[in-house]
Amino acid sequence: MSSHTTLRQTVERVPVPSPMGVHLTDQERRICDLLDECTHYLREQKSISTTCRIAGGWVRDKLLGHDSNDIDIALSDMMGLAFAEHLSAYADAKGFEAGAISKIAQNPDQSKHLESATFKLGGLDIDLVNLRSEAYAENSRIPTEVAFGTPLEDAMRRDCTINALFYNVHRREVEDFTKKGLDDMRNGLIRTPLPPKETFNDDPLRVLRCIRFASRFGFELVDELKEAARDPKIQDALVSKVAHERVGIEIDKMVQGRNPLRSIDLFHQLSLYNPVFFSAIPQDISSKFSDTTFPLDRGLANSTVLDAILNRRLDSQIPIPHPIYLRHFQKDNSAKPRLYLATALTPYYGVTYADKKKKIHLGVEAVIRESLKLGVQQHYLDGIPVLFLAVDPVHQLCEEYASFPVDRLRSSIGTSLRNKAIHNPNAGIHWTESFLFSLVLELGPLYDVANDCFDVKKAVEIVERYNSFAERVVELDLYDVGDAVPLLNGREIMKAMDTTKGGPWLAVVQSHIIQWQLDHPQASSEDCLSWLSEEKAAGNLPAVTSAGPPSKRPRIK
């Protein structure tokens, strides 16, 4: 057996057609025809002159051979709402299906710097806004001046050249005003239209957007862009000028994207961990962190291990982690992005802080809540802390389950898996997710990021231990143990206990019932009633007014 192997991924670029071209669907062709006809009508009948260009992501995606349902139309010398009203009336006159127009007001905090209009046209979402030029203040990413602009000015203010392409609906051709966008598409490069320090100074969020597109398409960041992203002044501006909600939105898109590991790797390469995750935490919280010497390699190491497991890239000498640990992914689409974000944030594993009431919190909570402003969507804020806290109980269970009493093995393992420290449905965490995260954290220290070297021998031992536990769970049919409910409902339990009064004691009895039925999987509710009566007679159950545990451990036959 070879003692070491590599884990570093090979970045796969999305295929770029050759030659590139925009191939319209019938639906898109009808919309382009309508836009062209409407502009001719406005010029000839109302002396209104404008040009329609489809901008940004739609053009990029069509050149890559991908479909896009969102069409952003950039107008010359005309506001989006005014044109939308003319276009809607013209479409109606031509018998073309058009939806109600919605006005989208300026909202700089959400990157809406100009009023625009949106509506459905031929079943597609259409967004209309004028071409613009922008000027920025030194301390804000929100433009201080937004004016009608030329196509060149509009293209140059965008985040990267591949997003600065236009499709002229009148001439039916792609326009590349930066003179670099098409070549960068062909060569798989992410480049800013202006010098990157200028682009990033205007809006530092573009650093994260460039990383996201590099990850999404497997493109390379040009060296000049990397150098600018590492600039301390740009990184400081990312903290001071950008709303944390916007940062969180970008991070969420990255971990839900095509290649989350690529994003995490670029964060590591560009030294963005502290500026994005730590420096944005309010000082009255960060100053109370139990440790601020974060092992930043840990985030990339653990994320690389997770990615290798999910994509079957572990060395062939290492056993494949048991499929039971991945089964939950089939019905919970939030599990994968949550695990990628959790592993990316493991440099903050073990860090705690006390709030004003002296309550202890995990440092990772502050990162998610304060730096990223992510809430319980995808169960980030409530779920990731559960994963962090589950590591020790999972390790302990993997070590100790073999010593559990044979006659109570199923209930002992089952009740351990139902523990909210491991299985917490309210936080979106299935016990298998906790085990997979814990497995990753055991394997992560075996990976040397700098040298791309993974200790195979030790990894085999760890994976085999987790697989042995998984096999026992399968053998005992405990995968769904977290969904088990007592054979008797509350009313039936109270009747058996000769009371009509519920209370904390009821939860204790229900817990005993679950434990008993785990060891008696074929038992009926009648069997359970008989057992419950025996336990009551033996004094093994709590008094109906008691909130505490019973005086003696229930007898399990």
Side-chain angles (χ1 to χ4, degrees):
M1 174 186 289
S2 175
S3 60
H4 293 86
T5 189
T6 63
L7 288 183
R8 187 163 292 151
Q9 68 169 169
T10 300
V11 178
E12 293 186 10
R13 187 193 302 181
V14 297
V16 179
S18 180
M20 289 191 300
V22 171
H23 302 287
L24 300 176
T25 64
D26 290 341
Q27 192 177 30
E28 291 166 340
R29 189 175 295 106
R30 289 196 299 271
I31 289 174
C32 286
D33 288 342
L34 187 73
L35 290 167
D36 184 46
E37 293 167 6
C38 182
T39 57
H40 283 290
Y41 167 79
L42 291 177
R43 183 170 57 252
E44 295 170 1
Q45 300 297 322
K46 301 193 175 186
S47 300
I48 297 173
S49 180
T50 190
T51 301
C52 296
R53 292 177 172 88
I54 303 177
W58 181 91
V59 186
R60 177 201 66 222
D61 290 347
K62 295 297 287 188
L63 288 171
L64 290 172
H66 302 163
D67 290 330
S68 180
N69 293 323
D70 296 323
I71 300 180
D72 294 335
I73 299 172
L75 304 159
S76 59
D77 302 316
M78 191 172 188
M79 296 293 286
L81 181 60
F83 183 77
E85 291 169 345
H86 287 299
L87 180 61
S88 179
Y90 186 83
D92 186 59
K94 295 292 183 178
F96 202 95
E97 179 187 357
I101 299 170
S102 296
K103 173 183 173 181
I104 303 176
Q106 287 178 292
N107 187 354
D109 287 339
Q110 297 299 319
S111 294
K112 287 290 183 182
H113 304 313
L114 274 184
E115 175 186 291
S116 61
T118 183
F119 69 113
K120 287 266 188 189
L121 189 62
L124 296 180
D125 292 316
I126 307 294
D127 194 87
L128 300 113
V129 68
N130 59 279
L131 293 168
R132 57 198 187 268
S133 64
E134 299 172 346
Y136 292 83
E138 185 176 340
N139 62 346
S140 175
R141 64 177 287 267
I142 298 173
T144 56
E145 181 181 345
V146 181
F148 284 113
T150 65
L152 174 60
E153 288 173 326
D154 192 282
M156 298 304 283
R157 70 170 183 81
R158 293 180 180 262
D159 49 19
C160 54
T161 57
I162 66 169
N163 291 338
L165 299 166
F166 293 102
Y167 181 74
N168 189 308
V169 303
H170 312 292
R171 297 201 296 264
R172 303 296 165 95
E173 65 182 19
V174 175
E175 298 172 327
D176 183 5
F177 290 97
T178 71
K179 306 300 183 186
K180 296 176 181 177
L182 290 172
D183 284 342
D184 287 343
M185 288 274 286
R186 294 186 187 97
N187 297 324
L189 298 175
I190 298 295
R191 182 198 316 273
T192 54
L194 295 169
K197 286 189 178 181
E198 182 177 346
T199 294
F200 295 157
N201 269 321
D202 285 345
D203 185 355
L205 185 67
R206 291 168 180 163
V207 173
L208 303 187
R209 288 178 57 81
C210 286
I211 289 173
R212 176 160 63 86
F213 289 117
S215 303
R216 177 177 173 183
F217 299 117
F219 287 3
E220 290 293 327
L221 303 176
V222 298
D223 289 341
E224 188 184 14
L225 189 154
K226 290 181 181 179
E227 181 183 350
R230 293 189 186 101
D231 187 319
K233 291 182 180 179
I234 299 294
Q235 295 187 349
D236 288 345
L238 186 56
V239 176
S240 61
K241 291 177 65 172
V242 180
H244 299 175
E245 290 86 353
R246 296 297 301 174
V247 173
I249 288 170
E250 289 299 320
I251 299 297
D252 178 43
K253 288 180 179 179
M254 289 178 197
V255 295
Q256 292 200 65
R258 172 177 173 267
N259 193 342
L261 178 59
R262 171 74 167 148
S263 296
I264 297 165
D265 189 11
L266 288 172
F267 263 64
H268 190 266
Q269 290 182 37
L270 302 177
S271 303
L272 286 168
Y273 254 83
N274 278 337
V276 171
F277 297 129
F278 179 68
S279 299
I281 298 173
Q283 203 273 336
D284 64 330
I285 295 177
S286 62
S287 63
K288 296 177 182 176
F289 270 29
S290 59
D291 189 0
T292 55
T293 56
F294 311 119
L296 299 182
D297 279 2
R298 178 186 284 175
L300 179 56
N302 289 329
S303 299
T304 302
V305 170
L306 173 66
D307 192 77
I309 291 174
L310 296 182
N311 294 295
R312 300 291 182 91
R313 290 192 296 103
L314 285 177
D315 189 277
S316 59
Q317 301 173 87
I318 303 172
I320 297 173
H322 199 286
I324 197 173
Y325 294 130
L326 303 179
R327 189 187 301 178
H328 187 63
F329 281 51
Q330 297 172 8
K331 66 176 183 179
D332 182 3
N333 293 331
S334 71
K336 184 176 177 180
R338 182 169 55 247
L339 276 168
Y340 272 110
L341 183 56
T343 54
L345 297 181
T346 50
Y348 311 101
Y349 177 77
V351 176
T352 60
Y353 72 95
D355 64 18
K356 294 178 180 178
K357 296 181 179 180
K358 307 300 181 184
K359 183 180 179 181
I360 301 298
H361 298 268
L362 298 186
V364 73
E365 289 182 34
V367 173
I368 298 169
R369 185 182 62 249
E370 304 294 342
S371 296
L372 305 181
K373 296 296 183 182
L374 291 173
V376 297
Q377 75 274 30
Q378 308 296 335
H379 286 293
Y380 291 139
L381 182 57
D382 52 346
I384 290 177
V386 172
L387 293 175
F388 275 50
L389 290 171
V391 172
D392 287 341
V394 167
H395 288 176
Q396 184 177 356
L397 181 55
C398 274
E399 293 287 346
E400 296 180 355
Y401 79 94
S403 64
F404 289 165
V406 175
D407 60 335
R408 295 197 299 273
L409 182 60
R410 192 169 190 271
S411 63
S412 297
I413 293 178
T415 52
S416 296
L417 293 179
R418 286 172 60 88
N419 186 339
K420 283 188 177 181
I422 294 176
H423 180 85
N424 192 329
N426 290 334
I429 303 300
H430 190 270
W431 69 264
T432 53
E433 190 177 340
S434 294
F435 268 74
L436 181 57
F437 182 71
S438 299
L439 171 60
V440 168
L441 263 62
E442 282 205 60
L443 293 173
L446 307 182
Y447 180 53
D448 180 348
V449 168
N451 298 302
D452 187 26
C453 184
F454 189 55
D455 189 326
V456 171
K457 184 176 180 181
K458 291 182 179 178
V460 169
E461 296 173 0
I462 293 171
V463 175
E464 285 180 344
R465 175 158 43 87
Y466 275 77
N467 283 356
S468 293
F469 179 82
E471 288 164 5
R472 182 51 61 96
V473 168
V474 171
E475 176 188 328
L476 296 171
D477 192 22
L478 286 172
Y479 175 80
D480 292 320
V481 67
D483 300 329
V485 296
L487 286 169
L488 304 178
N489 61 36
R491 183 174 299 176
E492 291 168 326
I493 294 171
M494 287 189 289
K495 182 177 180 182
M497 298 292 287
D498 297 321
T499 182
T500 59
K501 181 180 179 182
W505 66 270
L506 184 57
V508 178
V509 173
Q510 289 173 323
S511 176
H512 293 335
I513 291 174
I514 287 288
Q515 183 180 352
W516 176 83
Q517 67 189 55
L518 284 173
D519 284 327
H520 301 79
Q522 304 304 319
S524 65
S525 56
E526 289 77 12
D527 296 330
C528 187
L529 272 174
S530 298
W531 169 81
L532 189 62
S533 296
E534 293 174 6
E535 290 299 291
K536 178 188 174 187
N540 292 332
L541 299 175
V544 295
T545 57
S546 171
S551 56
K552 294 192 292 183
R553 190 183 188 282
R555 177 172 55 89
I556 308 294
K557 293 197 290 186

